[in-house]
């Protein structure tokens, strides 16, 4: 056989030094495919990865072993639960504790942990595992996902830090919760399971509960409520902020601008949310009106933290005042920090827009804060994220109003909760027909990956122009 004939029998993707084994070309093609997407369109890779993960978890939840009755779960219920878990939302159409078996609950918990890492992190990890490298654009998108928390060559290390940070914080929360469940009379396996479940669910801002009554029975138990609030709050700050705090502690001057804005705006929203929620519900006998002062304060603080994407609730959302629901809508839409387990349009988006408005009111040409100028491109991305989020919510609310016939306040609350991956519910999700369930499913997916991916894509895509048209100002306002 000649040399040319020998070469013609090898797979097209064969490389020197690669063993010639049957079926090896499939993995080689897969590696080349993922590597090409990671380097050409990382945002598309992020969407693809999340889509594949959702399909896998939907399949697992559809199995008879996943339900407590041993029956096959309908597609719309399995898909909705899988998306809610992977997108760390917490909305449910069936009871997590009553409907799913231990296997089903375990699948949900793994989905929460995987989804909490984020779309861009998962995409970067997949590229690393399959292709053994990220490529320049892959590293750029991974670095952007963590808000430039390190140099380009350290992206692989930073990705490992994200996973280790998640495991350490969730482990600490579980250690705090397990003893309390033991004291309350649960067996050790039960207490361990519930402690781990709540730890992962809280840090990832998921809001799933393994108890049929949720955490309502523990509404005055600070041993349980405080770890849950801490887990949700830390998760909502985002991995870039957590890494800066690990490196620099509480030394304000060494924090980068993203960390300063995220923590400052988060505390402002937390304080404002607790104050407004408490005042509006203070005399509402259906929620906290009949409680003593300490319990009212506890409920107000807890509600403010959970409205930022946590999803745990101590009161029936249907019993809240209409004004409280409107304030809740605003807090849910705001969400948490960028590259975090929280949803919403993100607190830094809000900060940039308010700073731009303040600069315009003062007549300043630049938007400045803490000795730094915010680039004009960042403001364009912030506007895009806000408009995209508002459009998604508006269109989805319109569809759900038509499908369900429910009142506007309930539909808007459920819609924003799905988009912002909060998980608080007026029980509308469980009442919807399959068509409405699919609308919320798409909204949860878009809310988790859409605005983040859009922001990253816009931030990395810059077209060079060789000319500019003459400027002309339209009348604004």
């Amino acid at each position: 056989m000649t040399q040319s004939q020998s070469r013609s029998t090898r797979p097209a993707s064969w490389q020197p030094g690669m063993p010639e084994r049957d079926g090896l070309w499939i993995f080689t093609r897969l590696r080349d495919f993922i590597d090409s997407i990671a380097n050409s369109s990382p945002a598309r890779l992020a969407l693809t990865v999340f889509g594949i993960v959702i399909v896998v978890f939907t399949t697992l939840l559809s199995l008879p072993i996943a339900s407590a009755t041993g029956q096959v779960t309908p597609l719309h219920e399995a898909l909705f639960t899988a998306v809610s878990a992977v997108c760390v939302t917490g909305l449910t159409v069936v009871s997590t504790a009553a409907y799913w078996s231990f296997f089903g609950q375990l699948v949900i918990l793994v989905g929460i942990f995987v989804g909490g890492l984020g779309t861009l992190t998962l995409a970067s990890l997949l590229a690393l595992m399959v292709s053994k490298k990220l490529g320049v654009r892959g590293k750029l998108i991974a670095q952007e996902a963590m808000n430039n928390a390190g140099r380009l060559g350290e992206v692989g290390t930073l990705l490992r830090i994200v996973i280790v940070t998640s495991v350490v914080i969730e482990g600490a929360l579980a250690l705090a919760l397990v003893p309390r469940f033991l004291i309350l009379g649960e067996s050790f396996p039960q207490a361990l399971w519930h402690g781990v479940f709540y730890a992962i669910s809280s840090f990832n801002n998921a809001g799933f509960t393994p108890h049929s009554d949720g955490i309502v029975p523990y509404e005055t138990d600070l041993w349980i409520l405080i770890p849950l609030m801490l887990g949700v709050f830390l998760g909502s700050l985002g991995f870039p902020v957590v890494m800066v705090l690990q490196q620099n502690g509480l030394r304000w001057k060494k924090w980068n601008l993203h960390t300063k804005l995220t923590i400052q705006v988060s505390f402002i929203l937390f304080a404002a949310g607790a104050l407004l929620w408490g005042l509006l519900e203070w005399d509402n006998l259906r929620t906290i009106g009949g409680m003593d002062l300490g319990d009212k304060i506890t409920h107000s603080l807890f509600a403010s933290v959970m409205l930022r994407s946590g999803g745990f609730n101590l009161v029936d959302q249907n019993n809240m005042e209409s004004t409280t629901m409107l304030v809740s809508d605003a807090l849910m839409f705001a969400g948490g920090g960028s590259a975090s387990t929280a949803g919403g349009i993100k607190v830094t988006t809000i900060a940039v827009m308010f700073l731009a408005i303040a600069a315009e009111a003062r007549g300043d040409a630049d938007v400045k804060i803490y000795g730094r100028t915010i680039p004009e491109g960042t403001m364009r991305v912030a506007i895009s994220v806000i408009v995209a989020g508002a459009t998604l919510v508006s269109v989805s609310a319109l569809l759900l109003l038509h499908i369900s016939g429910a009142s506007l306040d309930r539909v808007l609350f459920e819609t924003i909760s799905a988009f912002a991956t909060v998980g608080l519910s007026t029980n509308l999700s469980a009442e919807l027909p399959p068509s409405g369930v699919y609308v919320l499913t798409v909204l949860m997916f878009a809310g988790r990956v859409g605005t983040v991916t859009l922001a990253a894509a816009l931030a990395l895509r810059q077209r060079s122009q060789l000319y500019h048209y003459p400027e002309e100002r339209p009348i604004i306002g």
Side-chain angles (χ1 to χ4, degrees):
M1 181 182 294
T2 65
Q3 186 176 8
S4 59
Q5 291 175 324
S6 176
R7 285 176 180 171
S8 64
T9 61
R10 294 168 177 165
S13 58
W14 183 87
Q15 299 293 333
M18 179 183 296
E20 293 187 66
R21 291 178 294 184
D22 294 338
L24 184 63
W25 65 272
I26 297 177
F27 298 100
T28 305
R29 294 287 176 83
L30 177 63
R31 181 200 65 190
D32 294 341
F33 172 73
I34 293 177
D35 188 52
S36 64
I37 296 180
N39 287 283
S40 62
S41 180
R44 190 185 306 164
L45 177 63
L47 293 174
T48 302
V49 169
F50 241 51
I52 293 174
V53 169
I54 287 172
V55 169
V56 170
F57 281 96
T58 300
T59 303
L60 292 174
L61 290 175
S62 298
L63 298 175
I65 192 177
S67 67
T69 59
Q71 297 178 345
V72 175
T73 301
L75 175 61
H76 68 280
E77 293 180 356
L79 176 62
F80 185 92
T81 305
V83 172
S84 185
V86 174
C87 295
V88 292
T89 304
L91 288 176
T92 57
V93 290
V94 293
S95 171
T96 304
Y99 183 86
W100 302 107
S101 64
F102 174 77
F103 175 80
Q105 293 181 28
L106 182 61
V107 170
I108 291 173
L109 192 62
V110 174
I112 292 170
F113 179 81
V114 171
L117 297 177
T119 53
L120 301 176
T121 303
L122 285 177
S124 303
L125 287 173
L126 179 64
L128 277 173
M129 289 187 294
V130 177
S131 303
K132 305 300 182 183
K133 61 180 180 179
L134 281 177
V136 176
R137 281 187 64 86
K139 288 184 178 181
L140 284 173
I141 200 73
Q143 190 183 42
E144 179 68 24
M146 290 176 287
N147 205 70
N148 301 308
R151 292 186 294 272
L152 197 60
E154 299 174 343
V155 167
T157 302
L158 292 175
L159 291 174
R160 287 191 291 271
I161 291 175
V162 167
I163 298 177
V164 171
T165 300
S166 298
V167 172
V168 169
I169 294 178
E170 290 162 1
L173 292 172
L175 288 176
L177 291 169
V178 170
R180 184 54 179 166
F181 288 122
L182 285 172
I183 293 173
L184 292 174
E186 294 186 1
S187 64
F188 180 75
Q190 267 190 325
L192 180 63
W193 170 245
H194 291 156
V196 171
F197 196 105
Y198 278 114
I200 295 177
S201 185
S202 62
F203 178 71
N204 290 287
N205 282 226
F208 280 92
T209 64
H211 291 108
S212 57
D213 295 330
I215 59 170
V216 174
Y218 314 111
E219 61 178 347
T220 59
D221 194 334
L222 295 180
W223 193 339
I224 291 178
L225 298 184
I226 289 177
L228 291 181
M229 287 192 287
L230 285 175
V232 169
F233 189 79
L234 287 175
S236 70
L237 292 179
F239 294 112
V241 173
V242 172
M243 284 188 279
V244 169
L245 293 177
Q246 286 178 339
Q247 296 168 359
N248 303 302
L250 299 178
R251 290 171 289 184
W252 172 270
K253 292 184 178 180
K254 292 194 174 183
W255 292 357
N256 58 20
L257 181 60
H258 172 76
T259 301
K260 291 177 180 178
L261 289 178
T262 299
I263 292 180
Q264 186 176 23
V265 178
S266 293
F267 274 108
I268 291 173
L269 291 177
F270 166 64
L275 180 62
L276 289 173
W277 196 95
L279 288 176
L280 294 172
E281 293 296 313
W282 197 264
D283 297 321
N284 186 353
L285 295 176
R286 295 174 299 171
T287 54
I288 65 172
M291 299 179 182
D292 59 32
L293 178 62
D295 289 341
K296 286 183 177 181
I297 293 175
T298 299
H299 275 67
S300 300
L301 295 174
F302 189 86
S304 181
V305 173
M306 296 308 151
L307 285 169
R308 303 284 311 293
S309 198
F312 297 107
N313 66 285
L314 297 177
V315 299
D316 188 338
Q317 306 300 296
N318 287 300
N319 292 334
M320 296 191 306
E321 302 287 353
S322 297
T323 50
T324 309
M325 294 186 72
L326 186 59
V327 170
S328 301
D329 291 341
L331 289 172
M332 290 191 296
F333 190 73
S338 299
S340 73
T341 56
I345 60 172
K346 310 304 187 217
V347 294
T348 44
T349 304
I350 296 172
V352 168
M353 291 311 301
F354 271 101
L355 290 171
I357 292 171
E360 189 67 25
R362 291 193 302 264
D364 293 341
D366 295 329
V367 178
K368 302 182 291 292
I369 183 72
Y370 298 129
R372 297 290 187 270
T373 298
I374 297 177
E376 186 177 335
T378 300
M379 288 182 282
R380 289 201 303 267
V381 172
I383 293 173
S384 301
V385 169
I386 293 174
V387 172
T391 302
L392 282 171
V393 168
S394 301
V395 173
S396 300
L398 181 65
L399 291 173
L400 289 180
L401 277 171
H402 174 72
I403 292 171
S404 67
S407 60
L408 177 60
D409 55 351
R410 289 187 68 201
V411 169
L412 190 60
F413 188 94
E414 204 84 6
T415 302
I416 295 179
S417 181
F419 164 75
T421 68
V422 177
L424 292 173
S425 178
T426 60
N427 204 39
L428 182 62
S429 299
E431 300 171 3
L432 289 172
S435 57
V437 171
Y438 288 128
V439 170
L440 284 180
T441 301
V442 173
L443 186 60
M444 287 189 293
F445 181 82
R448 180 61 176 159
V449 305
T451 55
V452 176
T453 305
L454 173 64
L458 291 175
L460 290 179
R461 185 178 63 189
Q462 299 290 337
R463 292 195 306 172
S464 59
Q465 290 188 180
L466 301 179
Y467 62 91
H468 292 277
Y469 290 115
E471 291 186 356
E472 182 176 352
R473 284 177 172 264
I475 300 175
I476 303 295

